[in-house]
Amino acid sequence: MSVQVVAAKMAEVELKEAARERPDEGTVTVAAVASNVAILAAEPDDNNGAPLLSQPMKGIPASAMKRSDPAQRPRDGGECMGSPEGAVSEAPRTVKKQIQFADQKREFNKRPTKIGRRSLSRSISQSSTDSYSSAASYTDSSDDETSPRDKQQKNSKGSSDFCVKNIKQAEFGRREIEIAEQEMPALMALRKRAQGEKPLAGAKIVGCTHITAQTAVLIETLGALGAQCRWAACNIYSTLNEVAAALAESGFPVFSWKGESEDDFWWCIDRCVNVEGWQPNMILDDGGDLTHWIYKKYPNMFKKIKGIVEESVTGVHRLYQLSKAGKLCVPAMNVNDSVTKQKFDNLYCCRESILDGLKRTTDMMFGGKQVVVCGYGEVGKGCCAALKAMGAIVYVTEIDPICALQACMDGFRLVKLNEVIRQVDIVITCTGNKNVVTREQLDRMKNGCIVCNMGHSNTEIDVASLRTPELTWERVRSQVDHVIWPDGKRIVLLAEGRLLNLSCSTVPTFVLSITATTQALALIELYNAPEGRYKQDVYLLPKKMDEYVASLHLPTFDAHLTELSDEQAKYLGLNKNGPFKPNYYRY
């Protein structure tokens, strides 16, 4: 007896036994199912001639085999339906329709466009209305296309001074914040040590940063230290909606949701700044957009602002431009170039998060892939190290001969982008510059090349040049677009050229603890500094504070510092308690 016949007989017997155990479910379908089993068992597959079914289906009750579920379809493409008597009937075949994503049919927003909220070219590839948060959040934006600006929401205390996607997600956001607190030891230690002193009592801080669980711990720490805070997002894709809801539920005025339009972005910032009866006296910025908006719309506010804390390369560059032009009218703290931010957030954070962002969006394997990383600063160094460790072939482009020499000494091939643009599989920008990847270079890329940005701003890749009639944009998944040329060639563009790791994945909480603690100390320093200590200029965080931030994180590793003896301290000309390096020291 053949294997096929044996399989069919065994399946029929087992199905009959299962039906006898459940007499109320009927036995009409047993013969039909057994017949189908026999057909499947006897029919070879397309690969090697082996039967499709060579093992009996054990333990499956007859009721489970009724084709009453429309999802269970017969092999010829028709749809089977269960009759009331239990018999199986087949519905007529239906023509399969091609699935069309919502963003191929309509613009990003359904709100009136009389104020130009978003151009059609941007709406071709929206990534909020169909996306769950890339950080595995509980965002339900795919089910609700109503703009948060059109909603009337209140928290449990009756306050409506916020604008988030869905205030009902607050409970989920609170859990994420609690998890983040466990990985942010320095910030929690700072909160515990200084909570009684309230060093920020009277401070009114307006902030514009990524709104994630880690930032929420910072915001709540500032609140615990006595500050009043109002917050918006510095990136239209990086907000975790449930975290924003948790902050709003806790009483913090937050104006942010994942997938804002450009108009929404500036509207949120304005709602933070322009509120009756509330005048900010401190600014915490990431990218310089908040500072720019106040300079542009409300310059008189700077009369009462005591200082600006900025943490990004882009934002710091803007501050130095203002200072050079004599337009910086308050002291500013450059947190980005503090050692604890530059060496840890930029380097170690990007070393881990670059892989996370690429994996989540493309599911790609890195071994053997050819990658070009534009820029070999701290971010570029981290990206290159991670990709090299995964077996990728890494090229580097660089304008600075010192950074270029570092890349060569680290084993990377230094090239011009045009030399390798036709052959590489991935292009990553990490420069903070504009038009690093031009349209002409995008035209020359190979089919399937992945293009992404690890810098703060979306100016590094000339995405605007891709929004033309001859190119087709095709949404693949959240934050992933195919841009298709007339000849069929396509590139894979991630996050529309915006910051990859925070738009498409998450970043390590522990590293953000370092940055957040640095920001908090900078705010405390500027707010409490006696008049005249800081002029209208850009300052680095004092070295002593940098060392203090690092020391707060050492207990996590059960690390023990060596202490200088009096004789050793005298020999080196140092204070036993630091600072241990001069300001010009390069770590």
Side-chain angles (χ1 to χ4, degrees), residues 254-513:
V254 174
F255 300 86
S256 173
W257 58 93
K258 186 179 180 69
E260 300 166 357
S261 68
E262 292 292 337
D263 182 64
D264 291 332
F265 176 78
W266 295 111
W267 178 86
C268 288
I269 290 178
D270 192 72
R271 282 294 304 273
C272 283
V273 177
N274 184 23
V275 56
E276 187 176 352
W278 197 85
Q279 157 75 51
N281 54 25
M282 294 294 295
I283 295 173
L284 178 56
D285 210 353
D286 185 347
D289 290 319
L290 172 60
T291 304
H292 166 77
W293 187 257
I294 297 177
Y295 265 105
K296 179 181 177 181
K297 295 289 185 178
Y298 312 105
N300 289 333
M301 283 190 175
F302 280 105
K303 294 178 180 179
K304 294 186 178 180
I305 290 176
K306 301 188 69 173
I308 302 169
V309 174
E310 171 60 57
E311 72 153 326
S312 75
V313 174
T314 303
V316 166
H317 178 63
R318 289 180 175 181
L319 288 176
Y320 281 120
Q321 284 181 323
L322 287 172
S323 178
K324 187 176 181 180
K327 296 181 180 179
L328 185 63
C329 50
V330 295
M333 194 72 78
N334 171 6
V335 169
N336 177 74
D337 291 313
S338 63
V339 177
T340 43
K341 166 66 166 64
Q342 187 74 254
K343 289 294 179 180
F344 295 91
D345 194 334
N346 293 11
L347 175 63
Y348 298 114
C349 172
C350 294
R351 191 174 68 182
E352 297 193 21
S353 60
I354 178 64
L355 301 181
D356 189 18
L358 286 170
K359 285 285 189 184
R360 292 196 197 198
T361 50
T362 65
D363 303 316
M364 72 176 305
M365 187 170 183
F366 298 108
K369 293 292 192 303
Q370 296 190 58
V371 185
V372 59
V373 176
C374 302
Y376 202 67
E378 298 301 328
V379 173
K381 287 180 174 70
C383 293
C384 289
L387 291 162
K388 181 180 180 181
M390 296 299 290
I393 301 166
V394 182
Y395 304 99
V396 171
T397 71
E398 181 54 70
I399 61 169
D400 185 328
I402 297 176
C403 292
L405 184 58
Q406 285 181 310
C408 293
M409 297 291 280
D410 288 336
F412 300 109
R413 172 87 182 278
L414 190 73
V415 297
K416 292 183 177 180
L417 186 57
N418 283 333
E419 296 172 359
V420 295
I421 196 65
R422 290 186 181 276
Q423 68 193 59
V424 293
D425 302 291
I426 310 173
V427 177
I428 304 171
T429 55
C430 314
T431 68
N433 204 343
K434 64 179 295 186
N435 293 335
V436 177
V437 179
T438 64
R439 172 61 191 270
E440 187 270 335
Q441 290 164 334
L442 291 162
D443 288 338
R444 295 173 58 206
M445 289 178 182
K446 67 189 289 188
N447 183 50
C449 183
I450 297 168
V451 186
C452 61
N453 169 46
M454 282 291 285
H456 177 85
S457 182
N458 63 334
T459 59
E460 301 199 33
I461 302 165
D462 189 8
V463 175
S465 68
L466 298 176
R467 301 190 186 280
T468 54
E470 73 271 14
L471 300 183
T472 302
W473 284 61
E474 188 177 80
R475 171 52 45 90
V476 182
R477 56 171 68 163
S478 175
Q479 312 290 22
V480 183
D481 290 293
H482 281 173
V483 183
I484 307 171
W485 270 250
D487 63 357
K489 186 201 87 167
R490 64 183 63 199
I491 64 168
V492 182
L493 180 64
L494 304 183
E496 298 185 35
R498 295 180 182 270
L499 185 59
L500 172 70
N501 54 3
L502 278 158
S503 296
C504 301
S505 62
T506 58
V507 295
T509 301
F510 186 80
V511 159
L512 291 185
S513 174

Side-chain angles (χ1 to χ4, degrees), residues 16-27 59-64:
K16 287 181 178 179
E17 291 176 353
R20 282 197 295 272
E21 293 174 0
R22 297 172 175 81
D24 56 319
E25 296 180 357
T27 59
I60 303 178
S63 60

